[in-house]
Structure formats: C-alpha cells, structure tokens
Amino acid sequence: MVLESDVEQIAALADLRIQEDRMGTFTTQFNRILEYFDILDQVNGEGGSMDRGVNVMREDLVTPSLTPEEVLSNAGGDEDGFIRGPRVM
C-alpha cells in the first residue's frame, strides 16, 4: 500500500506539485492503479492468441535509393548538405 509520504516522494522525483488538499485523493487513486496491476499479475496468459509465435515483421531489404545530390536537387533549399526547412517560431 502506498502512503501519502510515498506519493510525495514520487511526485518530487517526477518534479510534480500536488496540492495538499488533493494528496488523499491522489494516494487513493494511486493505490487503485496498483491493485489493477496486481490483478494483471494473476492472469494466466497461456493459451491466448500471443502463443502462436508468428513473426509478423518483414525482413529488411536494401533497395536502391536517391543520392544525396538528387535529394537536395528536389528540395526547396539546402544548407551545408542538409535540406533547409522553414523557420518555426
């Protein structure tokens, strides 16, 4: 069970400020979340759809690509060998 002092320490590590009047509510919610994790730890995961062991990832294939010069020739502008994008403020 997580105590208010634990929540204060976790909040300090995460650089969060929790108002004193909300600390009790936050601690209760934190404990409920941890109870859900306890339930998930008890679930038997065998026999589910994840047991098939099928690799759904494709192999990486090296294919011909554009040269840096070709890429830069299609760009609106370039600077020091890189594509120059619009200034964002």
Side-chain angles (χ1 to χ4, degrees), residues 3-88:
L3 304 174
E4 286 189 15
S5 60
D6 298 324
V7 173
E8 288 174 1
Q9 182 179 5
I10 293 168
L13 292 172
D15 197 24
L16 298 173
R17 289 187 206 117
I18 301 174
Q19 297 173 355
E20 192 65 36
D21 60 333
R22 303 271 301 149
M23 188 61 68
T25 303
F26 202 89
T27 303
T28 302
Q29 291 173 347
F30 203 104
N31 280 307
R32 285 184 187 160
I33 292 169
L34 293 177
E35 287 173 12
Y36 288 125
F37 278 107
D38 287 339
I39 292 170
L40 290 175
D41 284 341
Q42 297 171 12
V43 173
N44 182 0
E46 295 180 16
S49 62
M50 298 301 286
D51 288 342
R52 287 185 257 150
V54 177
N55 183 3
V56 295
M57 305 297 282
R58 65 171 172 76
E59 294 292 322
D60 287 335
L61 301 175
V62 178
T63 58
S65 182
L66 299 173
T67 65
E69 291 79 20
E70 291 172 318
V71 172
L72 292 175
S73 70
N74 289 319
D78 67 284
E79 185 175 321
D80 297 326
F82 297 97
I83 296 174
R84 183 176 184 179
R87 183 177 293 227
V88 178

